[in-house]
Amino acid sequence: MNTSKTLPRAAALLAVSLLALTGCAATAAPAEEPKPAGDVVTIEDAWVKAAPDGMSAAFGMLENTGDEDVTVVSVESDVSPMMELHETVENEAGEMVMREIEGGFVIPAGGELALEPGANHIMLMGLANPLVAGDEATFTLTFSDDSTYEFTAPVKDYSGANENYEESDEHEGMDH
Ligand SMILES: [Cu+2]
């Protein structure tokens, strides 16, 4: 047995871990403030649908590396004076329609929220200028804690993402 060797080592380890503990306690002393949402959220693969005028939408994968859920409450961009956060839901007629999401986009702690055609998306309600493929658009997300996150997304041609606002004409021929 060589306890003479292992014991001092164990003591040294204990001393190191105590040091770590006290060091930790000193820096985290005031009640743990969560980081601003704008510091823990990023977007991957962001893109905007090209459109000559009217409405368009922006998509991407929102990621939250923080320990708490965060909520996007609004979005702004120079490309469209009026913007909304949209969800896509099934209406009473069984049609998929988009509408402003109540309470904003919640990105779970350590998780993701997909913004994609046919689901949640950033809605550009009225383009200030044509959005041409190859251009870029900058967006600023504002979170429920008033922090913000800015990102730039490329404009891409895309034939989908033509969600309905109103009832579609699918029910034509149902009666009469
Ligand atoms: Cu929409």
Side-chain angles (χ1 to χ4, degrees):
M1 300 276 283
N2 53 358
T3 46
S4 55
K5 258 186 158 179
T6 52
L7 273 178
R9 194 178 295 166
L13 274 174
L14 188 67
V16 167
S17 49
L18 277 174
L19 198 69
L21 276 176
T22 50
C24 205
T27 49
E32 286 180 33
E33 284 278 319
K35 282 187 184 173
D39 288 0
V40 297
V41 168
T42 55
I43 193 163
E44 294 288 322
D45 302 323
W47 62 282
V48 195
K49 182 188 171 182
D53 53 23
M55 297 192 292
S56 186
F59 310 97
M61 182 66 77
L62 287 167
E63 297 181 352
N64 173 10
T65 60
D67 300 327
E68 316 228 335
D69 295 357
V70 300
T71 305
V72 181
V73 293
S74 65
V75 57
E76 289 185 345
S77 174
D78 288 344
V79 299
S80 171
M82 190 182 168
M83 314 269 293
E84 288 183 358
L85 304 173
H86 275 190
E87 63 178 351
T88 305
V89 295
E90 193 173 337
N91 68 10
E92 286 163 10
E95 298 157 344
M96 299 309 288
V97 293
M98 61 181 179
R99 65 180 184 198
E100 192 162 21
I101 190 168
E102 212 170 298
F105 291 150
V106 178
I107 317 167
E112 302 176 329
L113 179 76
L115 304 182
E116 54 193 7
N120 294 324
H121 55 274
I122 293 169
M123 195 75 199
L124 287 57
M125 301 298 287
L127 295 177
N129 294 294
L131 276 180
V132 181
D135 284 357
E136 287 189 327
T138 299
F139 298 86
T140 303
L141 302 178
T142 299
F143 300 91
S144 54
D145 64 0
D146 287 332
S147 64
T148 60
Y149 170 65
E150 186 179 293
F151 67 93
T152 298
V155 178
K156 295 183 177 180
D157 282 323
Y158 182 73
S159 58
N162 299 309
E163 281 83 2
N164 297 312
Y165 254 137
E166 305 163 329
E167 289 184 6
S168 74
D169 53 8
E170 298 241 333
H171 62 283
E172 263 178 28
M174 265 176 62
D175 41 28
H176 304 301

